[in-house]
Amino acid sequence: MNQFTHFTQELTLLYSIALIGYMLRKKEILPDGSEKVLTVIILNVTMPALILFGMDVTFSIENLIQFGWLSLLSAFVLILSSVISSFTVKKLNIEVEKKNALEGIMIFGNQGFLGIAVCFLLFGKEGVFYGTLFNFVYLLYIWTYAIYLFARNAESVQWRKVFLNSGVIATLAGLLLMILPGTLPVVISNTLELTGKPTVPLSMLLIGSLLGGMPLADLKLYLKNKALWLASFYKLILFPALLLPFLLFSLPIQLFAVAFLIAGMPSAPTISMYAQAYGEDASYAAAGVALSTFLSCITIPALYSFLLIISSFS
């Protein structure tokens, strides 16, 4: 119970920062376009630093085994959730311009921003390490399949942008650090830590600012949409539950916990950006992100409490 109380307190702090971001955006203290600036800073500076810091570990065969397991878990949940989402969207009677956005918010979660932040709060540097390994497959998937969802009838995907973005480069560099003997000098490690830690508050400010940029009337209208509630159920509860069979393999509970929690993160704001870029209903996607983010205040603690119950039997 003490663990759960501590976790909920830390999670409350996270969402409080998001609330500050929301109010700053509504009051226009964070002006229009702030989201782009925050995104650039997080994606190109703080998050790569945090990833490199988290993966600056001494080489061991155990780490390679963990990478294999986490990649398997990530690929499993992404592929299965893609199949389920595609089937569901085809069965739903919704407008054509909303289908791709709905499928995207079902599959892709806020694993990079909120996911890494939660792992860092729970498990510190080791949580970032596990989270980064789990997100390796996700990064490749969201920069390929997610773009494919919106560009099926458009021009071909620019593969250079897919594989030469800062998140993928930092993750590959981190894998190299993990494989090479030794660790980085203390000065560099401390610099990466100091630069990377703002990822947590900045990512929550970004989420709040994104929500604050939406007209309240539009948000209220979209919140009555049953398909968005179904998408939130899939993303927050059903899809992380897909990983439960892996408990039979006696994985380390901390490794499974990171995969389980990250798989249950709310929908990724990136999907609304893709919708905007390809001329589809970006407001619909943003509303789905907003709804799942609100509901995650309840579901993330619920997932964590479930993990505590499991760990008590191990």
Side-chain angles (χ1 to χ4, degrees):
M1 184 59 69
N2 289 334
Q3 287 178 289
F4 179 76
T5 301
H6 174 72
F7 176 67
T8 53
Q9 287 175 345
E10 295 293 339
L11 201 61
T12 300
L13 288 176
L14 280 184
Y15 282 104
S16 296
I17 297 173
L19 180 60
I20 292 172
Y22 177 86
M23 293 187 295
L24 290 175
R25 183 67 181 87
K26 283 296 183 184
K27 296 293 183 180
E28 297 187 351
I29 298 174
L30 284 176
D32 187 29
S34 299
E35 296 87 353
K36 293 182 179 180
V37 176
L38 286 171
T39 300
V40 168
I41 293 173
I42 295 169
L43 289 181
N44 296 292
V45 182
T46 66
M47 185 170 290
L50 187 62
I51 289 172
L52 291 173
F53 170 70
M55 297 191 72
D56 180 29
V57 296
T58 304
F59 171 79
S60 70
I61 297 299
E62 183 182 358
N63 287 341
L64 290 179
I65 294 173
Q66 290 168 343
F67 174 61
W69 272 113
L70 287 165
S71 295
L72 175 63
L73 290 167
S74 182
F76 176 84
V77 72
L78 283 170
I79 293 172
L80 199 53
S81 62
S82 297
V83 173
I84 294 172
S85 298
S86 179
F87 177 80
T88 301
V89 170
K90 288 178 181 177
K91 294 294 183 180
L92 292 175
N93 183 25
I94 60 173
E95 296 88 337
V96 174
E97 65 272 13
K98 291 181 171 63
K99 286 190 174 183
N100 292 331
L102 182 63
E103 191 171 342
I105 61 177
M106 283 181 176
I107 300 169
F108 297 99
N110 195 344
Q111 298 187 189
F113 294 161
L114 185 57
I116 292 296
V118 169
C119 291
F120 184 73
L121 287 175
L122 279 175
F123 308 117
K125 182 177 180 178
E126 190 172 8
V128 175
F129 174 67
Y130 284 154
T132 302
L133 295 183
F134 184 76
N135 281 343
F136 180 74
V137 174
Y138 172 84
L139 278 171
L140 298 179
Y141 203 61
I142 196 171
W143 283 99
T144 52
Y145 185 72
I147 294 176
Y148 165 76
L149 285 178
F150 294 97
R152 296 175 186 183
N153 300 318
E155 298 178 0
S156 59
V157 176
Q158 299 181 32
W159 293 103
R160 184 177 180 181
K161 292 183 178 180
V162 170
F163 293 106
L164 291 181
N165 65 81
S166 55
V168 172
I169 292 173
T171 303
L172 291 174
L175 286 174
L176 186 61
L177 284 177
M178 183 183 76
I179 295 171
L180 292 175
T183 57
L184 292 172
V186 175
V187 174
I188 297 178
S189 179
N190 289 344
T191 301
L192 290 172
E193 180 181 13
L194 190 62
T195 306
K197 281 186 175 179
T199 301
V200 177
L202 286 178
S203 63
M204 300 312 296
L205 281 175
L206 174 61
I207 292 171
S209 181
L210 287 168
L211 299 180
M214 291 182 60
L216 193 58
D218 291 351
L219 183 58
K220 288 181 179 179
L221 179 64
Y222 281 127
L223 291 183
K224 298 178 182 179
N225 189 287
K226 293 181 180 179
L228 291 181
W229 283 87
L230 179 63
S232 292
F233 169 75
Y234 275 17
K235 187 68 205 72
L236 299 173
I237 299 175
L238 177 62
F239 292 160
L242 296 175
L243 293 175
L244 292 178
F246 284 91
L247 287 170
L248 299 175
F249 292 91
S250 301
L251 296 175
I253 189 62
Q254 189 166 312
L255 184 148
F256 178 81
V258 167
F260 186 67
L261 287 173
I262 291 183
M265 289 297 113
S267 302
T270 309
I271 298 303
S272 60
M273 299 176 193
Y274 285 165
Q276 180 72 43
Y278 288 94
E280 299 201 13
D281 198 333
S283 296
Y284 185 76
V289 172
L291 178 61
S292 64
T293 301
F294 290 145
L295 294 177
S296 69
C297 297
I298 301 171
T299 59
I300 293 176
L303 293 178
Y304 183 67
S305 61
F306 177 75
L307 287 171
L308 290 179
I309 294 172
I310 292 175
S311 63
S312 68
F313 289 102
S314 60

